[in-house]
Amino acid sequence: MSQRVSVFPLGGALLFPGMHLPLHIFEPRYRAMVSDALARDRRIGMVQPRPATGSTDRPPLFDIGCVGQIVDVEAQEDGRYDIVLQGVSRFRIVRELEVTTAFRQVEVDFLPAEADATLAAVQRASLEMESRRFADAQGYAVDWDSVARLDDESLVNGIAQIAPFDVAAKQALLEVDTIAARADLIVQLMQFFGRHGDEDEATLQ
């Protein structure tokens, strides 16, 4: 069944089901959005804007996003908010609604949860190995013991959410329908961005 969702368009910031996303809300329109969500169902949709071809305050949106539940909120004296969203469900935008609010609202269809959220042992090992290579190349400090204790879904969605890929790549990860396919795409993207990063460094030298 289609539902109305208030959306926060933010390029590069993705939310996946089960994951947490901290946000600092300071723009007046999004402060109004958080206030509205707190008064209703505490839900906000995260969606990426499409790359704009011109200057616009309302860029077109990608079709797929994820709705999150506000699970933690701290209101500042000046009206700003620090919130944490927990991913609930991916959605597909049916249409954008004509509204009088400063923030945007859309009609969405929620996508079904992934039926199989597990990886084959060899696929898990490949993902962890490539993640180590990528993290080392980027200079990231990672607690790999904690990573090893994550279940497959948390591992895959966690990497997909925080990986420093571009907007198009992150959107592709969100639109993949299964954990296994998302894990494969993460490995491909790490290899691609890692390889091009090495080429850029060689060029600079």
Side-chain angles (χ1 to χ4, degrees):
M1 183 178 297
S2 297
Q3 293 189 25
R4 174 189 294 246
V5 172
S6 301
V7 290
F8 186 10
L10 189 58
L14 261 66
L15 179 63
F16 285 81
M19 297 292 102
H20 290 87
L21 178 65
L23 293 167
H24 177 64
I25 309 297
F26 59 91
E27 287 190 52
R29 56 181 166 174
Y30 297 126
R31 284 156 43 182
M33 178 188 66
V34 171
S35 297
D36 179 75
L38 292 172
R40 294 187 301 106
D41 57 5
R42 301 177 72 92
R43 292 191 171 193
I44 292 171
M46 295 299 301
V47 63
Q48 292 198 119
R50 295 180 182 273
T53 55
S55 177
T56 174
D57 192 45
R58 297 173 67 88
L61 305 175
F62 280 105
D63 295 335
I64 305 295
C66 181
V67 69
Q69 185 93 19
I70 300 175
V71 294
D72 189 45
V73 58
E74 183 177 350
Q76 308 294 333
E77 293 183 358
D78 60 2
R80 294 174 298 157
Y81 289 99
D82 290 313
I83 66 173
V84 177
L85 291 180
Q86 180 174 1
V88 176
S89 174
R90 295 183 307 141
F91 61 76
R92 183 183 301 277
I93 295 176
V94 177
R95 64 188 177 99
E96 183 158 0
L97 301 172
E98 294 292 334
V99 294
T100 58
T101 57
F103 52 91
R104 301 168 72 174
Q105 299 181 51
V106 297
E107 180 184 338
V108 306
D109 286 337
F110 288 108
L111 301 178
E114 293 154 355
D116 186 0
T118 60
L119 302 176
V122 65
Q123 189 179 24
R124 167 98 185 203
S126 175
L127 176 61
E128 290 190 8
M129 180 178 66
E130 196 60 45
S131 297
R132 284 176 180 267
R133 290 176 179 170
F134 188 79
D136 289 345
Q138 298 292 321
Y140 297 150
V142 179
D143 182 353
W144 294 109
D145 290 336
S146 296
V147 169
R149 291 193 292 269
L150 293 174
D151 62 77
D152 293 342
E153 184 175 22
S154 296
L155 174 64
V156 172
N157 286 346
I159 294 173
Q161 185 165 306
I162 67 173
F165 303 143
D166 61 26
V167 167
K170 293 182 80 71
Q171 186 65 30
L173 287 169
L174 184 64
E175 295 186 5
V176 171
D177 289 329
T178 68
I179 292 296
R182 187 170 297 141
D184 285 341
L185 182 54
I186 288 172
V187 169
Q188 294 171 24
L189 289 170
M190 284 181 172
Q191 293 171 343
F192 175 81
F193 282 98
R195 181 170 61 252
H196 281 253
D198 292 342
E199 292 173 357
D200 292 341
E201 184 176 349
T203 300
L204 291 174
Q205 292 174 351

